[in-house]
Amino acid sequence: MKISREDIESARSLAGEMESDQQLSMFQIKLLLDDETNEDYQDYKLVWNCYPQSSLALRKDKFAKRLKAQIDAKPQQKVVWLNTTVKTFLSVAAIVLLGLFIYIVSSVNDSSRYTNHIIASHGERKKIELPDHSIITLNSGAQLKYPEVFTQDSREVWVEGEAYFDITKDINRPFKVNANGFTIEVLGTKFNVNDSGEANTVSLESGKVQVTLKESGDQIQLLPKEELIWNNATGEVVKRSFDVTEKMAWIDNILVLNELPLKKALSQINTFYGVEFVLKDSLMANKVISGAFENQSLIDFIETLEFIADVKVHPVSDKKFSIAPNDEK
C-alpha cells in the first residue's frame, strides 16, 4: 500500500500533529488549490469524525460497523435508489477507507517515536550516549534511531548495521533493540548486534538478553560469551560460544581477521573501512588471511594486505578496489 505525502499531511492535520503553524497553513492552501487532495481530505475527515476516542481499545470490526451505521443513518439531501451490489460496494469502501486511515495514523505515530537519527560515516566508529546514559558504539555505515526522552516504563531504540551496546541497568525500564527481523530485550548488559550481512548476529559480552525472531516468534536467551547467528535466506539458527576480544575489537578501531578465507574476510574489511574490495580472480577466494590491524589507515592496510596475502590491490574508484594475484614474481 503506497501512502502519499498528501495522505500523511491529511492524517497529521486531523490529528493536530503538524510540525508547525506554517506547515498547516501551506497544507490548507493546497486544499484550496488542489481539488483531488481536498476530496481525499474530506474522505479522511469523515473517517476521523466517526473514529472512537483514543482512550478506547482498537477494535477494527466494531469501528467499521459503527462507521457504516453512521453513514447509513446520515440524512440524505437527495433520494437515490441503489441496488444491493452498489450498497455492498459502498460499505466495503468505507471499511477499506477506515483501515487505510488507521494504517496511516499508526505509521505516522510509529515514525515519530524516534526523534534522533544517527549514522556513522563510512570508515568511522561513532559513540552515542542515550538519555539513560547507556552508551552505543556504531560501526562504519551503521544507523541508530532513539527518542529524545525514554518513557517511564520502557527504553526502545532501532538499529541497522553493526553496533555495540553498553546498557545502563534499570530494572523498572527494560531496554529493547529493534533490528532487521528481530528484537532484543535486556535490563542492563553489554552486547554486540550485526544485521549487515547474510546472517544476523547477537553476541553477548555480559548480563543476559532475550532475542525474539519476528518471523517465527521464537525466543532465545543468551548467557555471557554466547552468540546467536541465523541466516535470513535459509532460516538456519545457531547458538555458540565466541571470543569476546576478537568480536569486540572493532570498538577500539582494531580489525581482527583470524584465519579467514579472503572471500569471507572481505565483508569485515569493507565494513571497517567503508569501501568495497572485490576479488578479480575467483581462485583467490579461499586464500587464508590472518592479522590484527590497529589504527591503520586505508593506505597502510592496503600495503599490509599486499604483503601478507601476496596480492596486488588496484584502485577502481575512490571507494572501490580490485584484489588481483601478485604477478611480480
Side-chain angles (χ1 to χ4, degrees), residues 34-78:
D34 190 335
D35 292 338
E36 184 176 351
T37 299
N38 186 42
E39 184 177 345
D40 292 339
Y41 174 77
Q42 295 304 324
D43 289 337
Y44 286 132
K45 186 175 181 180
L46 173 62
V47 174
W48 181 264
N49 291 334
C50 296
Y51 194 69
Q53 296 296 322
S54 59
S55 60
L56 300 178
L58 183 61
R59 291 169 290 177
K60 294 181 181 178
D61 292 340
K62 181 176 179 180
F63 297 160
K65 291 179 181 178
R66 175 180 172 182
L67 174 62
K68 179 179 180 300
Q70 292 196 25
I71 292 174
D72 291 342
K74 187 176 180 179
Q76 301 296 318
Q77 300 298 324
K78 183 178 180 181

Side-chain angles (χ1 to χ4, degrees), residues 74-85:
K74 187 176 180 179
Q76 301 296 318
Q77 300 298 324
K78 183 178 180 181
V79 177
V80 180
W81 296 98
L82 300 176
N83 59 36
T84 304
T85 303

Side-chain angles (χ1 to χ4, degrees), residues 210-261:
Q210 177 173 281
V211 182
T212 301
L213 306 183
K214 293 181 181 178
E215 184 173 345
S216 64
D218 293 337
Q219 295 182 332
I220 302 106
Q221 291 189 346
L222 295 179
L223 297 176
K225 298 184 180 181
E226 286 185 341
E227 69 178 0
L228 186 69
I229 304 172
W230 67 100
N231 189 296
N232 292 317
T234 64
E236 180 183 11
V237 179
V238 175
K239 185 164 79 167
R240 68 182 187 186
S241 59
F242 73 100
D243 186 310
V244 174
T245 302
E246 180 181 331
K247 178 70 69 172
M248 313 302 186
W250 67 266
I251 303 169
D252 297 317
N253 209 34
I254 303 173
L255 173 63
V256 177
L257 304 175
N258 186 11
E259 296 187 356
L260 291 177

Side-chain angles (χ1 to χ4, degrees), residues 60-169:
K60 294 181 181 178
D61 292 340
K62 181 176 179 180
F63 297 160
K65 291 179 181 178
R66 175 180 172 182
L67 174 62
K68 179 179 180 300
Q70 292 196 25
I71 292 174
D72 291 342
K74 187 176 180 179
Q76 301 296 318
Q77 300 298 324
K78 183 178 180 181
V79 177
V80 180
W81 296 98
L82 300 176
N83 59 36
T84 304
T85 303
V86 175
K87 287 182 178 180
T88 303
F89 173 79
L90 292 177
S91 299
V92 172
I95 295 172
V96 170
L97 184 59
L98 173 63
L100 174 62
F101 190 75
I102 292 172
Y103 174 80
I104 293 173
V105 172
S106 63
S107 298
V108 170
N109 290 337
D110 183 70
S111 64
S112 62
R113 180 174 39 173
Y114 306 116
T115 53
N116 295 292
H117 187 185
I118 308 297
I119 303 176
S121 302
H122 292 300
E124 176 191 27
R125 258 57 64 190
K126 196 175 190 68
K127 188 171 292 186
I128 303 99
E129 183 174 357
L130 300 183
D132 66 339
H133 303 299
S134 296
I135 302 295
I136 298 180
T137 306
L138 300 179
N139 204 350
S140 170
Q143 302 184 41
L144 174 71
K145 295 180 182 180
Y146 63 97
E148 195 70 37
V149 179
F150 289 126
T151 65
Q152 294 182 350
D153 55 4
S154 70
R155 298 172 290 170
E156 191 168 353
V157 302
W158 173 92
V159 70
E160 180 179 304
E162 185 169 19
Y164 176 78
F165 293 79
D166 185 352
I167 303 304
T168 301
K169 188 173 183 179

